[in-house]
Amino acid sequence: MRILLVNGNTTAAITELCAAAGRAAASPGTEVVPLTPAIGPAVISSRLENAIAAHGMLEAMAPFAGKVDGVLLAVSYDTALEAARQLMPCPVLGMTEAACLTAMTVGRRFGLVTFGGVEIYRELIAHHGFSGRLAGLLGVSATPKDALDDPQAVAVQVNTAIAALVSQGAESIVLGGAALAGMGARLNSPVPLLDGIACGVRLLEGLAGLKLPRPLNGSLAPVKGRASQGLGDALAQALQG
Amino acid sequence: MRILLVNGNTTAAITELCAAAGRAAASPGTEVVPLTPAIGPAVISSRLENAIAAHGMLEAMAPFAGKVDGVLLAVSYDTALEAARQLMPCPVLGMTEAACLTAMTVGRRFGLVTFGGVEIYRELIAHHGFSGRLAGLLGVSATPKDALDDPQAVAVQVNTAIAALVSQGAESIVLGGAALAGMGARLNSPVPLLDGIACGVRLLEGLAGLKLPRPLNGSLAPVKGRASQGLGDALAQALQG
Amino acid sequence: MRILLVNGNTTAAITELCAAAGRAAASPGTEVVPLTPAIGPAVISSRLENAIAAHGMLEAMAPFAGKVDGVLLAVSYDTALEAARQLMPCPVLGMTEAACLTAMTVGRRFGLVTFGGVEIYRELIAHHGFSGRLAGLLGVSATPKDALDDPQAVAVQVNTAIAALVSQGAESIVLGGAALAGMGARLNSPVPLLDGIACGVRLLEGLAGLKLPRPLNGSLAPVKGRASQGLGDALAQALQG
Amino acid sequence: MRILLVNGNTTAAITELCAAAGRAAASPGTEVVPLTPAIGPAVISSRLENAIAAHGMLEAMAPFAGKVDGVLLAVSYDTALEAARQLMPCPVLGMTEAACLTAMTVGRRFGLVTFGGVEIYRELIAHHGFSGRLAGLLGVSATPKDALDDPQAVAVQVNTAIAALVSQGAESIVLGGAALAGMGARLNSPVPLLDGIACGVRLLEGLAGLKLPRPLNGSLAPVKGRASQGLGDALAQALQG
Amino acid sequence: MRILLVNGNTTAAITELCAAAGRAAASPGTEVVPLTPAIGPAVISSRLENAIAAHGMLEAMAPFAGKVDGVLLAVSYDTALEAARQLMPCPVLGMTEAACLTAMTVGRRFGLVTFGGVEIYRELIAHHGFSGRLAGLLGVSATPKDALDDPQAVAVQVNTAIAALVSQGAESIVLGGAALAGMGARLNSPVPLLDGIACGVRLLEGLAGLKLPRPLNGSLAPVKGRASQGLGDALAQALQG
Amino acid sequence: MRILLVNGNTTAAITELCAAAGRAAASPGTEVVPLTPAIGPAVISSRLENAIAAHGMLEAMAPFAGKVDGVLLAVSYDTALEAARQLMPCPVLGMTEAACLTAMTVGRRFGLVTFGGVEIYRELIAHHGFSGRLAGLLGVSATPKDALDDPQAVAVQVNTAIAALVSQGAESIVLGGAALAGMGARLNSPVPLLDGIACGVRLLEGLAGLKLPRPLNGSLAPVKGRASQGLGDALAQALQG
């Protein structure tokens, strides 16, 4: 089985980190194929960058249609998720979506902890329809760079946030962003911690095995006969159908 | 990997049908272990039977704690789901829950079709927190027995219901109840059809691989030191912790 | 008028306490009939015990069908409520349901205070459809035993919780659990305190007087012709109809 | 026990009809005191009339503060409900509120049938926080006058609406408006029909018996020291406290 | 363009303050016409006063039907909003509604800060259907009079509340009540502050220019042929149509 | 005042049609500046095209930052709305957002009619937080081309849809897509019809006059210091801040 792991930003080093996490979680026989977009923001941390990034991700993944068994969006805002589902003939998961789906099988309500602001996550979870299962979101005042420079100090903050979410009723914790997943052993939680890359790879393996047909109808049915201007060849051709 | 498939009713023939469906969906190397409760209703089709059945299911599965890698509740009302999660040290999924989780990765909104009334399913989906992704529920006026006696006539009704749900915006269809899944090739849908047994087995394989710890805290943390009266040995001991 | 007061656990002393509270609230001429299940947990304080308890409660109340004018479930999780409605030919109320119904006539939003965790109450109120009227839930870190050992210390905690709920907008307070109701005069609240036993008895008197017919249709219509295995005689017969 | 039954419009004949229905439902020893406002619309059937009517109702009931044990608003829009609660020292119920509270103890979801438009009822039920328990609302194209002129023809329409609501999942039916309640025996329903006047009188008897204190805090606490201009004496004095 | 600015209370000095704020925001050529009701509370700060005030406002504005291009309700509870829409042939806005509509174009979620209790605002925002965009509400423990006596001390409290709302995710702040708007330059916010009078005047100018027809159908269509008793001439005639 | 009208697709003829509609609605002195993206789909009618289009729109509008007083997104999916708000220093409205905001001041619940599927609109309205005010959505089985070829036949269909939405409680109708707005006089509705271009221009005139500051905080605060790759100069520079 081949799982395409598509980064949302143009920084190849982050793609590699995520691919390594994906390989660690994968079953024997699963190949994780990393992919970095050629155009877009270096890192996504705002609504503006998020909106821009979708195009580059779709350009990057279009040539892989039919050549992989699943696609994992390795970007914690699940950027371009439904568009990727419409483009690709295989199962597609966003990493935060995957962590949330898992969370809902592990406890009744879940929390999300991240670096920085939480509003985009709040909306993402609402878009997924999971808000009723959300106990709370907390953003730690630290950057991924801080986590590299002084991991112990940042871990203290994250652990405080985890404890606060648990006291609000969280029975599992989604880690928002790859940097948090990387803190691994320093984190300390009375409830399961969920990393979207690991969850995404495992769930995609399961979903791919169901061999479900593509929808012929509805808002995710494949497009065809659609003209465009200024797009890369593979994406323009995918629109033509 | 061993997956315990627990029927909700006391009819062993139904357990066997579900186990066969589970085996068909399982990966190589996965063993499906069927289990039929000793006490409870012969078939669950009312709130009253559903409330009674939980006890028998928990009695039946208690002896398997620690001996299986996952538990699938083969009852379309996902009876006793959270109690089973609290009881068992491995991942537990309900079959309708599993189909709904899959549905949400396949299309934006899903429909559910079943035989008979839909109100218990409506509440179950609300309890899971998935109502925002639900396009509609339709109950066909037929019984599982009708489906055996005149499968073609019943298939026509089910296909009409599927088409109606698609026109209401359903982008995938959850089959409510094992009898519907059994109609297999007679069903005709422009969007994917989701059988809870197949979805449940595949997702459990993925979840088991994540090797998540049990929660130490919250409403699903294991119980201990709890007295009881009149229960079977394994369940009474599980309450003692 | 005869009101059957069914405890959810197998501890007769708790049944007696609740019955005494019910008698104190009842109108002249109302008889409160206490009932303790023979099988089930000694006390319900987890999802697992709650799921098990339903069966024993239904076994216990089945012989009273047609012999009482109302049924009050004297268990703060309103265990088996809809199943009891389907089983019994008279009005049935859960004690927390009764307190919430009363709360909504007394103020706009209400709070709930209890000993221990609040998640099961949060879901119960959502199941009843009352979440939009809920200002908050608070669980005091004390046990019913603490309340007996050092009532004054526990009352201080409960009063602090009440004040916090009022500051969040609660205009009445539901007492979650019989132990809280027993603290009576030690509690201090600027808004009405609602005990489910008292509310339940009074509302049942009113509802019984309406002499509403049973539903012939829908998910609470009586069952008939349903087979079962291993159940007590009265309950098995009730399923047969 | 004395229950003040306050009509929302200025038509005394409607007050009398409602009072008769109230007396029929009341327990022995309960006195129903009818009250018709002196200013306001002759009949309320629009948002504009509803907004105007509140003032007249409050003027009319102000002199009865302390002289009755409960107040029933005999107007199906539950006009001025919270204001009346703030004004009066006893329990207050709206007739539609009372029917909905009862409905939620009788079945899981309820329907509402009325003459004319349903939007104001939809909002009222949302305001009460009961929308999650609502299966649907249907407005029959008939007027109260039609119901007097050709009751059989109108009953056919109402019965069709009831059947439609049941097929949408209604397990009880709230009758919106006094005219519908008057159709009594001509209506035909597989699920209980709920008349707000009867439900209101019975529930008020129960609530009055709880002898709950007034709130000292929150949005329904009594006002005092409030100046006004152009109001009747009793209401102006009530604002002064 | 003429905009009628209707105060909700009978205090002419407040009407004048609001009119001055309206004029400051208006485009050149817009005339703001102030109007104070003759009957009702001197100030609205409770549910009871709010319910009473609607009648007086409608009496006051009825004579202006057809003589103004828009109506702004200068009362922060948006009292009688839908009734005014049904009465008047021109666009009508409530001041809090106008601030909320603006808030939703400026940031994703908004906060509301006011003097005193927040429950009526919470319900108002729910009634408008805007709760999903609301980050929180905070009531400062001060009165409008305090704001006049020691504006700096009150500003400190309001600024603290603003900062708390921003930390809860508010991306703009609605000022609840005219007194807050008057604190102008003393307030200090990292996100836009929205005064309902200014927003209302500007939006009404825009809406009036659309020259939309009145609805012929639905709950806001004009009434006619409606009898009444004890109302002023203009309002009684408006009901007659 | 200058309002930038940004098309979402790369078809200049559609931009011109929308600009003409915008000019017809504008106040004297307002200049409507049309803008067509250089890259992206020729027409947006799928999730995939919608996700791609955002990038091209942001590239196109970036050079206008600081040179216009408002931005109207002339694409009925309100593509890239929040990203545009974060990018541009002036008010930004989406055309469907503008029509919905107006709808909520005209009636209680609104409907939306469009050509083709409604799911993306349903989600858009949920994203805006307006679902509680939505009576229904209907998609007519016709294309914009059909509307040009046989406008009368298509108008019949649209009018049927409008009537159906009114019967479901819609008190105004949002026209989803520019093609519908163009059908103008052929449409026949008992409730106001709302064209997003007209509503958007008028509301932007009002909002621009409020001269609100940009947020310094929150998810719409301007970005700075953000690196990127492969973007146009103006957009890359905007990310740099």
Side-chain angles (χ1 to χ4, degrees), chain C residues 63-97:
Chain C
F64 288 85
K67 299 179 185 158
V68 292
D69 302 293
V71 174
L72 178 59
L73 307 179
V75 43
S76 63
Y77 296 156
D78 294 350
T79 311
L81 177 61
E82 280 87 15
R85 285 198 173 127
Q86 192 165 25
L87 176 64
M88 304 297 280
C90 60
V92 179
L93 286 179
M95 68 179 271
T96 296
E97 178 195 37

mmCIF file of all heavy atoms in Angstrom, chain C residues 63-97:
data_model
loop_
_atom_site.group_PDB
_atom_site.id
_atom_site.type_symbol
_atom_site.label_atom_id
_atom_site.label_comp_id
_atom_site.label_asym_id
_atom_site.label_seq_id
_atom_site.Cartn_x
_atom_site.Cartn_y
_atom_site.Cartn_z
ATOM 1 N N PRO C 63 -43.491 -6.177 37.360
ATOM 2 C CA PRO C 63 -44.698 -6.699 38.029
ATOM 3 C C PRO C 63 -45.690 -5.618 38.455
ATOM 4 O O PRO C 63 -46.830 -5.937 38.795
ATOM 5 C CB PRO C 63 -44.131 -7.415 39.277
ATOM 6 C CG PRO C 63 -42.685 -7.661 38.980
ATOM 7 C CD PRO C 63 -42.255 -6.555 38.077
ATOM 8 N N PHE C 64 -45.263 -4.369 38.473
ATOM 9 C CA PHE C 64 -46.148 -3.295 38.944
ATOM 10 C C PHE C 64 -46.960 -2.655 37.816
ATOM 11 O O PHE C 64 -47.737 -1.736 38.070
ATOM 12 C CB PHE C 64 -45.336 -2.229 39.684
ATOM 13 C CG PHE C 64 -44.837 -2.689 41.031
ATOM 14 C CD1 PHE C 64 -43.656 -3.406 41.143
ATOM 15 C CD2 PHE C 64 -45.568 -2.423 42.178
ATOM 16 C CE1 PHE C 64 -43.200 -3.844 42.381
ATOM 17 C CE2 PHE C 64 -45.128 -2.856 43.423
ATOM 18 C CZ PHE C 64 -43.935 -3.571 43.528
ATOM 19 N N ALA C 65 -46.757 -3.116 36.600
ATOM 20 C CA ALA C 65 -47.498 -2.524 35.476
ATOM 21 C C ALA C 65 -48.994 -2.648 35.721
ATOM 22 O O ALA C 65 -49.487 -3.737 36.002
ATOM 23 C CB ALA C 65 -47.096 -3.218 34.172
ATOM 24 N N GLY C 66 -49.691 -1.519 35.660
ATOM 25 C CA GLY C 66 -51.128 -1.519 35.866
ATOM 26 C C GLY C 66 -51.539 -1.399 37.316
ATOM 27 O O GLY C 66 -52.729 -1.258 37.620
ATOM 28 N N LYS C 67 -50.566 -1.440 38.224
ATOM 29 C CA LYS C 67 -50.903 -1.388 39.655
ATOM 30 C C LYS C 67 -50.509 -0.077 40.311
ATOM 31 O O LYS C 67 -50.688 0.097 41.523
ATOM 32 C CB LYS C 67 -50.211 -2.547 40.387
ATOM 33 C CG LYS C 67 -50.676 -3.906 39.861
ATOM 34 C CD LYS C 67 -49.987 -5.060 40.542
ATOM 35 C CE LYS C 67 -50.395 -6.370 39.880
ATOM 36 N NZ LYS C 67 -49.429 -7.441 40.126
ATOM 37 N N VAL C 68 -49.894 0.819 39.565
ATOM 38 C CA VAL C 68 -49.512 2.128 40.112
ATOM 39 C C VAL C 68 -49.923 3.209 39.117
ATOM 40 O O VAL C 68 -50.154 2.933 37.938
ATOM 41 C CB VAL C 68 -47.994 2.203 40.398
ATOM 42 C CG1 VAL C 68 -47.606 1.277 41.549
ATOM 43 C CG2 VAL C 68 -47.172 1.888 39.158
ATOM 44 N N ASP C 69 -49.988 4.456 39.600
ATOM 45 C CA ASP C 69 -50.447 5.574 38.768
ATOM 46 C C ASP C 69 -49.299 6.377 38.179
ATOM 47 O O ASP C 69 -49.509 7.244 37.325
ATOM 48 C CB ASP C 69 -51.333 6.495 39.606
ATOM 49 C CG ASP C 69 -52.518 5.746 40.173
ATOM 50 O OD1 ASP C 69 -53.376 5.320 39.376
ATOM 51 O OD2 ASP C 69 -52.558 5.541 41.418
ATOM 52 N N GLY C 70 -48.096 6.114 38.660
ATOM 53 C CA GLY C 70 -46.934 6.833 38.145
ATOM 54 C C GLY C 70 -45.686 6.148 38.647
ATOM 55 O O GLY C 70 -45.730 5.447 39.667
ATOM 56 N N VAL C 71 -44.564 6.340 37.914
ATOM 57 C CA VAL C 71 -43.296 5.745 38.316
ATOM 58 C C VAL C 71 -42.240 6.838 38.369
ATOM 59 O O VAL C 71 -42.080 7.599 37.411
ATOM 60 C CB VAL C 71 -42.837 4.658 37.318
ATOM 61 C CG1 VAL C 71 -41.451 4.139 37.669
ATOM 62 C CG2 VAL C 71 -43.844 3.512 37.263
ATOM 63 N N LEU C 72 -41.534 6.915 39.483
ATOM 64 C CA LEU C 72 -40.423 7.855 39.595
ATOM 65 C C LEU C 72 -39.121 7.057 39.689
ATOM 66 O O LEU C 72 -38.972 6.207 40.568
ATOM 67 C CB LEU C 72 -40.593 8.722 40.853
ATOM 68 C CG LEU C 72 -39.469 9.725 41.106
ATOM 69 C CD1 LEU C 72 -39.312 10.710 39.946
ATOM 70 C CD2 LEU C 72 -39.723 10.491 42.397
ATOM 71 N N LEU C 73 -38.201 7.328 38.777
ATOM 72 C CA LEU C 73 -36.903 6.671 38.812
ATOM 73 C C LEU C 73 -36.011 7.440 39.786
ATOM 74 O O LEU C 73 -35.608 8.569 39.524
ATOM 75 C CB LEU C 73 -36.275 6.654 37.415
ATOM 76 C CG LEU C 73 -37.172 6.077 36.314
ATOM 77 C CD1 LEU C 73 -36.456 6.130 34.961
ATOM 78 C CD2 LEU C 73 -37.614 4.662 36.637
ATOM 79 N N ALA C 74 -35.724 6.818 40.926
ATOM 80 C CA ALA C 74 -34.973 7.494 41.978
ATOM 81 C C ALA C 74 -33.489 7.236 41.806
ATOM 82 O O ALA C 74 -32.822 6.688 42.671
ATOM 83 C CB ALA C 74 -35.475 7.021 43.341
ATOM 84 N N VAL C 75 -32.994 7.667 40.652
ATOM 85 C CA VAL C 75 -31.589 7.505 40.312
ATOM 86 C C VAL C 75 -31.235 8.708 39.458
ATOM 87 O O VAL C 75 -31.926 9.011 38.495
ATOM 88 C CB VAL C 75 -31.342 6.168 39.572
ATOM 89 C CG1 VAL C 75 -32.395 5.893 38.525
ATOM 90 C CG2 VAL C 75 -29.964 6.120 38.939
ATOM 91 N N SER C 76 -30.182 9.415 39.837
ATOM 92 C CA SER C 76 -29.981 10.730 39.233
ATOM 93 C C SER C 76 -29.507 10.670 37.791
ATOM 94 O O SER C 76 -29.438 11.706 37.136
ATOM 95 C CB SER C 76 -29.039 11.564 40.094
ATOM 96 O OG SER C 76 -27.775 10.954 40.154
ATOM 97 N N TYR C 77 -29.174 9.502 37.251
ATOM 98 C CA TYR C 77 -28.876 9.408 35.816
ATOM 99 C C TYR C 77 -30.132 9.080 34.999
ATOM 100 O O TYR C 77 -30.038 8.819 33.806
ATOM 101 C CB TYR C 77 -27.804 8.346 35.544
ATOM 102 C CG TYR C 77 -26.441 8.633 36.136
ATOM 103 C CD1 TYR C 77 -25.540 7.605 36.410
ATOM 104 C CD2 TYR C 77 -26.021 9.939 36.396
ATOM 105 C CE1 TYR C 77 -24.287 7.860 36.933
ATOM 106 C CE2 TYR C 77 -24.763 10.201 36.932
ATOM 107 C CZ TYR C 77 -23.905 9.154 37.203
ATOM 108 O OH TYR C 77 -22.650 9.403 37.718
ATOM 109 N N ASP C 78 -31.281 9.059 35.622
ATOM 110 C CA ASP C 78 -32.544 8.763 34.923
ATOM 111 C C ASP C 78 -32.423 7.464 34.118
ATOM 112 O O ASP C 78 -32.962 7.332 33.007
ATOM 113 C CB ASP C 78 -32.947 9.917 33.982
ATOM 114 C CG ASP C 78 -33.295 11.203 34.721
ATOM 115 O OD1 ASP C 78 -33.415 11.172 35.962
ATOM 116 O OD2 ASP C 78 -33.442 12.242 34.053
ATOM 117 N N THR C 79 -31.768 6.504 34.733
ATOM 118 C CA THR C 79 -31.467 5.215 34.087
ATOM 119 C C THR C 79 -32.719 4.534 33.550
ATOM 120 O O THR C 79 -33.720 4.436 34.262
ATOM 121 C CB THR C 79 -30.784 4.309 35.139
ATOM 122 O OG1 THR C 79 -29.736 5.064 35.757
ATOM 123 C CG2 THR C 79 -30.205 3.061 34.498
ATOM 124 N N ALA C 80 -32.642 4.075 32.299
ATOM 125 C CA ALA C 80 -33.711 3.271 31.689
ATOM 126 C C ALA C 80 -35.008 4.033 31.501
ATOM 127 O O ALA C 80 -36.076 3.425 31.367
ATOM 128 C CB ALA C 80 -33.963 2.005 32.516
ATOM 129 N N LEU C 81 -34.948 5.353 31.432
ATOM 130 C CA LEU C 81 -36.163 6.166 31.398
ATOM 131 C C LEU C 81 -37.090 5.794 30.237
ATOM 132 O O LEU C 81 -38.272 5.503 30.453
ATOM 133 C CB LEU C 81 -35.784 7.654 31.315
ATOM 134 C CG LEU C 81 -36.943 8.635 31.212
ATOM 135 C CD1 LEU C 81 -37.856 8.545 32.421
ATOM 136 C CD2 LEU C 81 -36.416 10.058 31.078
ATOM 137 N N GLU C 82 -36.585 5.829 29.013
ATOM 138 C CA GLU C 82 -37.482 5.569 27.872
ATOM 139 C C GLU C 82 -37.937 4.112 27.859
ATOM 140 O O GLU C 82 -39.070 3.810 27.470
ATOM 141 C CB GLU C 82 -36.809 5.938 26.552
ATOM 142 C CG GLU C 82 -36.858 7.427 26.277
ATOM 143 C CD GLU C 82 -35.690 8.154 26.914
ATOM 144 O OE1 GLU C 82 -34.715 7.475 27.320
ATOM 145 O OE2 GLU C 82 -35.740 9.393 27.002
ATOM 146 N N ALA C 83 -37.065 3.204 28.267
ATOM 147 C CA ALA C 83 -37.485 1.800 28.327
ATOM 148 C C ALA C 83 -38.623 1.630 29.334
ATOM 149 O O ALA C 83 -39.593 0.905 29.084
ATOM 150 C CB ALA C 83 -36.304 0.918 28.702
ATOM 151 N N ALA C 84 -38.514 2.317 30.460
ATOM 152 C CA ALA C 84 -39.585 2.239 31.457
ATOM 153 C C ALA C 84 -40.876 2.826 30.910
ATOM 154 O O ALA C 84 -41.969 2.324 31.179
ATOM 155 C CB ALA C 84 -39.156 2.970 32.736
ATOM 156 N N ARG C 85 -40.758 3.902 30.117
ATOM 157 C CA ARG C 85 -41.974 4.476 29.517
ATOM 158 C C ARG C 85 -42.631 3.491 28.567
ATOM 159 O O ARG C 85 -43.855 3.462 28.452
ATOM 160 C CB ARG C 85 -41.632 5.767 28.769
ATOM 161 C CG ARG C 85 -41.374 6.908 29.708
ATOM 162 C CD ARG C 85 -41.448 8.281 29.058
ATOM 163 N NE ARG C 85 -41.348 9.263 30.128
ATOM 164 C CZ ARG C 85 -40.489 10.271 30.177
ATOM 165 N NH1 ARG C 85 -39.673 10.494 29.170
ATOM 166 N NH2 ARG C 85 -40.459 11.079 31.211
ATOM 167 N N GLN C 86 -41.791 2.730 27.861
ATOM 168 C CA GLN C 86 -42.363 1.769 26.921
ATOM 169 C C GLN C 86 -42.974 0.580 27.663
ATOM 170 O O GLN C 86 -43.961 0.007 27.210
ATOM 171 C CB GLN C 86 -41.258 1.306 25.971
ATOM 172 C CG GLN C 86 -41.773 0.542 24.774
ATOM 173 C CD GLN C 86 -40.749 0.404 23.684
ATOM 174 O OE1 GLN C 86 -39.549 0.445 23.931
ATOM 175 N NE2 GLN C 86 -41.211 0.254 22.454
ATOM 176 N N LEU C 87 -42.410 0.261 28.804
ATOM 177 C CA LEU C 87 -42.870 -0.896 29.584
ATOM 178 C C LEU C 87 -44.153 -0.607 30.364
ATOM 179 O O LEU C 87 -45.051 -1.445 30.418
ATOM 180 C CB LEU C 87 -41.752 -1.302 30.561
ATOM 181 C CG LEU C 87 -42.033 -2.426 31.557
ATOM 182 C CD1 LEU C 87 -42.288 -3.739 30.830
ATOM 183 C CD2 LEU C 87 -40.842 -2.583 32.528
ATOM 184 N N MET C 88 -44.218 0.552 30.984
ATOM 185 C CA MET C 88 -45.268 0.812 31.968
ATOM 186 C C MET C 88 -46.422 1.597 31.337
ATOM 187 O O MET C 88 -46.206 2.511 30.548
ATOM 188 C CB MET C 88 -44.698 1.604 33.147
ATOM 189 C CG MET C 88 -43.512 0.945 33.834
ATOM 190 S SD MET C 88 -43.890 -0.664 34.603
ATOM 191 C CE MET C 88 -44.667 -0.101 36.140
ATOM 192 N N PRO C 89 -47.652 1.306 31.735
ATOM 193 C CA PRO C 89 -48.808 1.997 31.151
ATOM 194 C C PRO C 89 -49.158 3.327 31.815
ATOM 195 O O PRO C 89 -50.198 3.899 31.493
ATOM 196 C CB PRO C 89 -49.932 0.976 31.361
ATOM 197 C CG PRO C 89 -49.536 0.223 32.575
ATOM 198 C CD PRO C 89 -48.035 0.189 32.609
ATOM 199 N N CYS C 90 -48.307 3.805 32.701
ATOM 200 C CA CYS C 90 -48.597 5.061 33.411
ATOM 201 C C CYS C 90 -47.460 6.045 33.170
ATOM 202 O O CYS C 90 -46.420 5.683 32.628
ATOM 203 C CB CYS C 90 -48.733 4.774 34.907
ATOM 204 S SG CYS C 90 -47.227 4.055 35.596
ATOM 205 N N PRO C 91 -47.604 7.305 33.585
ATOM 206 C CA PRO C 91 -46.494 8.260 33.433
ATOM 207 C C PRO C 91 -45.251 7.823 34.202
ATOM 208 O O PRO C 91 -45.358 7.262 35.300
ATOM 209 C CB PRO C 91 -47.059 9.556 34.021
ATOM 210 C CG PRO C 91 -48.537 9.428 33.923
ATOM 211 C CD PRO C 91 -48.830 7.953 34.097
ATOM 212 N N VAL C 92 -44.087 8.060 33.612
ATOM 213 C CA VAL C 92 -42.798 7.744 34.228
ATOM 214 C C VAL C 92 -41.923 8.998 34.158
ATOM 215 O O VAL C 92 -41.858 9.649 33.119
ATOM 216 C CB VAL C 92 -42.085 6.602 33.467
ATOM 217 C CG1 VAL C 92 -40.729 6.296 34.095
ATOM 218 C CG2 VAL C 92 -42.948 5.352 33.410
ATOM 219 N N LEU C 93 -41.271 9.340 35.247
ATOM 220 C CA LEU C 93 -40.328 10.465 35.256
ATOM 221 C C LEU C 93 -39.013 10.016 35.865
ATOM 222 O O LEU C 93 -38.993 9.207 36.796
ATOM 223 C CB LEU C 93 -40.861 11.635 36.092
ATOM 224 C CG LEU C 93 -41.983 12.485 35.512
ATOM 225 C CD1 LEU C 93 -42.376 13.571 36.531
ATOM 226 C CD2 LEU C 93 -41.559 13.151 34.202
ATOM 227 N N GLY C 94 -37.916 10.575 35.336
ATOM 228 C CA GLY C 94 -36.633 10.437 35.994
ATOM 229 C C GLY C 94 -36.455 11.589 36.973
ATOM 230 O O GLY C 94 -36.996 12.672 36.774
ATOM 231 N N MET C 95 -35.691 11.366 38.048
ATOM 232 C CA MET C 95 -35.615 12.423 39.062
ATOM 233 C C MET C 95 -34.863 13.650 38.551
ATOM 234 O O MET C 95 -35.247 14.788 38.861
ATOM 235 C CB MET C 95 -35.037 11.904 40.392
ATOM 236 C CG MET C 95 -33.604 11.509 40.370
ATOM 237 S SD MET C 95 -33.044 10.926 42.030
ATOM 238 C CE MET C 95 -32.495 12.483 42.763
ATOM 239 N N THR C 96 -33.826 13.458 37.744
ATOM 240 C CA THR C 96 -33.128 14.632 37.221
ATOM 241 C C THR C 96 -33.954 15.310 36.141
ATOM 242 O O THR C 96 -34.021 16.539 36.063
ATOM 243 C CB THR C 96 -31.734 14.231 36.711
ATOM 244 O OG1 THR C 96 -30.967 13.774 37.841
ATOM 245 C CG2 THR C 96 -31.005 15.394 36.072
ATOM 246 N N GLU C 97 -34.619 14.509 35.324
ATOM 247 C CA GLU C 97 -35.551 15.082 34.349
ATOM 248 C C GLU C 97 -36.584 15.959 35.052
ATOM 249 O O GLU C 97 -36.860 17.085 34.615
ATOM 250 C CB GLU C 97 -36.253 13.945 33.601
ATOM 251 C CG GLU C 97 -37.281 14.381 32.582
ATOM 252 C CD GLU C 97 -38.188 13.233 32.147
ATOM 253 O OE1 GLU C 97 -38.541 12.376 32.994
ATOM 254 O OE2 GLU C 97 -38.536 13.176 30.958
#
